[in-house]
Amino acid sequence: MKCDEKPKTRSENFKPESPFVIVCEGYRDAKFVCALLDRLNISNCDITFPQQGRDEGADGESGIATMVRLLSAVDAVEGIAVVRDADLDVGDSFKKACTGYTKPFVAPKAPFVVEQGKKRSAVFLIPGKGKTGALEHLFLEAISAAHAPLAECIKRFEECNAYVAGWTDNKKAKLRVQCAIAGFCKDDPTSSLAYIWHRPNNPIDIASPAFKELADFLTAFSTP
C-alpha cells in the first residue's frame, strides 16, 4: 500500500505500485482512507489525491477527473475508485467523479457499487448512501457515537455563537470536528485531520461503526 504524500518537489505524476488505486479529493481524505485500509489489513491499494503543480496541474475536487484519466492509461492498474464528498448535490458529485474514466475503464453506473469488468471502477460519496455533506459529517457520526456528552457541548457552543449562524452546513461540520479535536488532543489541539490518526488522544475512533459502509466498499473494491 502506497499512501501519497505532499512532496517537496512535485515534478512527477503519481506512480502507482499496487493493482488498485483510490483517488481522494484531498490530503486529509487520503490520510483517513490510508488509516482505514491499514485497520482492514488491505495492502493491495494505493491512495492518492490531486496536487497542484503535479499530475498535469490537477488540484482538489476539479483535479479528480485528471487523476483518474492519468491512472486509466497505466496498464498495471486493475481498478480505480474515487472517494469524494457528496456535498449538496449527490447526482452532480457522482457525475463529476465519473468524468475521468477512459478506456479500458468504464465509469460505474451508480455510486457505492463496484463496476466489475476487464477493469474495476467505483465511486463512494462521503458521508454515505442517501446523505449529503462532507468528510467532517462522517467524522461527526463517529464522534457523537463515542462521545455523546462532548457532541452535545459542542452543539451548545455553536448555538451560543451567533457569528456562525449563517455558515454553510459543511463549514459548521468543520467547526464541530475541530472543537472535538481541540478538546481531546493534548499533544496538538490544532491538529489537522491529515495527522490526527497518529495522535494518542484522537476523538475519532478508526474502528467506529460509522465507517462500516466505507470499509465494506473498500473491501469489495480491493478483493481480487
Side-chain angles (χ1 to χ4, degrees):
M1 180 173 69
K2 177 181 178 181
C3 292
D4 201 1
E5 298 289 344
K6 287 187 174 181
K8 294 180 180 178
T9 58
R10 305 179 178 180
S11 58
E12 294 185 350
N13 293 348
F14 177 77
K15 296 180 180 179
E17 299 175 354
S18 302
F20 301 107
V21 182
I22 300 165
V23 179
C24 296
E25 192 167 334
Y27 188 45
R28 300 176 310 153
D29 312 61
K31 298 301 283 187
F32 164 56
V33 173
C34 286
L36 189 55
L37 288 173
D38 186 58
R39 176 188 168 266
L40 296 170
N41 294 315
I42 295 175
S43 59
N44 62 347
C45 288
D46 288 350
I47 305 91
T48 187
F49 58 97
Q51 296 190 46
Q52 189 174 16
R54 195 196 75 174
D55 306 312
E56 296 188 4
D59 186 31
E61 177 197 10
S62 62
I64 291 175
T66 300
M67 288 291 300
V68 173
R69 176 176 55 79
L70 291 171
L71 291 166
S72 296
V74 180
D75 291 339
V77 174
E78 297 296 326
I80 303 172
V82 173
V83 176
R84 59 152 293 165
D85 293 342
D87 289 326
L88 296 176
D89 189 329
V90 172
D92 182 63
S93 295
F94 175 65
K95 181 180 179 180
K96 289 177 179 176
C98 291
T99 56
Y101 287 102
T102 57
K103 293 182 179 180
F105 286 86
V106 176
K109 297 179 180 65
F112 312 109
V113 178
V114 178
E115 186 77 24
Q116 301 282 2
K118 183 178 179 181
K119 299 282 188 175
R120 193 174 298 182
S121 60
V123 172
F124 189 96
L125 300 176
I126 293 173
K129 292 180 183 178
K131 301 174 183 177
T132 58
L135 182 67
E136 285 79 9
H137 288 93
L138 183 58
F139 290 161
L140 285 172
E141 289 184 36
I143 292 169
S144 296
H147 310 288
L150 173 65
E152 186 60 31
C153 287
I154 293 172
K155 180 182 177 182
R156 291 199 298 271
F157 163 73
E158 181 184 332
E159 290 172 346
C160 75
N161 185 0
Y163 182 72
V164 305
W167 290 14
T168 65
D169 192 49
N170 279 8
K171 288 186 177 180
K172 288 180 180 179
K174 293 177 186 293
L175 177 147
R176 296 173 198 140
V177 171
Q178 285 302 142
C179 283
I181 290 173
F184 255 76
C185 191
K186 181 180 178 181
D187 289 351
D188 183 6
T190 63
S191 178
S192 163
L193 285 172
Y195 305 108
I196 194 67
W197 311 107
H198 303 291
R199 306 297 185 192
N201 302 113
N202 180 6
I204 309 169
D205 182 6
I206 194 64
S208 171
F211 304 143
K212 184 180 186 304
E213 185 180 2
L214 177 55
D216 290 346
F217 170 87
L218 294 173
T219 299
F221 170 71
S222 63
T223 300

